[in-house]
Amino acid sequence: PEQIAGRAGAIRVVRRDVDYLIVSFYLPPDPSRKNNRECVNLVLEWIVKLCSRMPNRCVIVFACDANGRLGWYQDGEGADPWVGTCEPEYENFNGSKLRNMLVDLELVAVNTHLGGGHTFFGPRSASRVDYCGISVNPFLKGAVKSCFINMEAGDKLQVIKMNAKRDHRPLCLMF
């Protein structure tokens, strides 16, 4: 849809032995603005509609800059297996909406289980706001061997030229 153009995309790879839907998306960072909250909802609704049309054999893989924090509900509870207990943070608006999508689509945010560390480095702090994941059944069967931040690639891709880490670092899954 035009309202979310440039914020989400997907590609499906189908062969006799493989059926993957690979989804990438970006959520706006400031949920205090009404239009940003609406955009978050539109992006996630589009993803849910798209993924819900896939056959059961299709494995969904996602990568996102959610500008969200995942780990604990506001009441302090987790929601394993969708969101793990590794490096948890209190959820913000985007994190809560992302969690709901994960539960609805039975997806696992892998870096909340296997770690990896901070994915964004700002001028004063670092945080985990990017996530990657996979359908729950392949995850539970051990399809993902590791999750890591590619710091070397991040150094090369860094927009702001300085010695300190700045900007996002690529989050990788190894299958």
Side-chain angles (χ1 to χ4, degrees):
E2 189 175 316
Q3 306 95 310
I4 65 167
R7 291 199 176 269
I11 186 168
R12 187 169 176 202
V13 179
V14 181
R15 297 187 323 217
R16 279 182 358 130
D17 59 335
V18 170
D19 190 348
Y20 284 101
L21 178 68
I22 303 164
V23 182
S24 177
F25 58 99
Y26 166 71
L27 300 179
D30 183 6
S32 67
R33 296 176 53 201
K34 182 182 178 195
N35 60 333
N36 284 356
R37 289 190 308 274
E38 290 171 356
C39 184
V40 167
N41 290 330
L42 287 171
V43 169
L44 297 179
E45 286 169 12
W46 178 81
I47 294 167
V48 168
K49 285 179 189 172
L50 176 69
C51 293
S52 297
R53 294 193 325 246
M54 296 298 117
N56 288 337
R57 72 178 179 275
C58 184
V59 175
I60 299 167
V61 178
F62 74 90
C64 68
D65 175 355
N67 284 303
R69 289 167 172 55
L70 282 174
W72 290 300
Y73 282 107
Q74 294 303 322
D75 64 4
E77 294 181 20
D80 193 57
W82 327 114
V83 176
T85 58
C86 189
E87 303 163 346
E89 295 188 54
Y90 285 102
E91 292 184 359
N92 61 3
F93 177 85
N94 289 12
S96 177
K97 293 293 185 174
L98 178 62
R99 176 190 290 272
N100 291 339
M101 184 199 78
L102 297 174
V103 172
D104 288 348
L105 295 174
E106 297 185 354
L107 301 173
V108 174
V110 173
N111 55 320
T112 67
H113 287 274
L114 303 180
H118 298 302
T119 58
F120 177 78
F121 295 86
R124 291 176 292 286
S125 64
S127 60
R128 181 186 67 192
V129 295
D130 306 306
Y131 300 91
C132 57
I134 189 169
S135 301
V136 68
N137 288 334
F139 177 75
L140 294 175
K141 292 177 182 174
V144 178
K145 302 303 179 199
S146 68
C147 179
F148 60 95
I149 309 294
N150 188 333
M151 290 296 186
E152 184 178 332
D155 290 341
K156 290 177 184 173
L157 296 169
Q158 183 167 293
V159 176
I160 301 167
K161 299 298 178 201
M162 59 188 317
N163 290 333
K165 293 181 186 104
R166 282 294 300 272
D167 215 338
H168 294 270
R169 300 293 152 142
L171 181 60
C172 305
L173 291 181
M174 184 166 303
F175 293 92

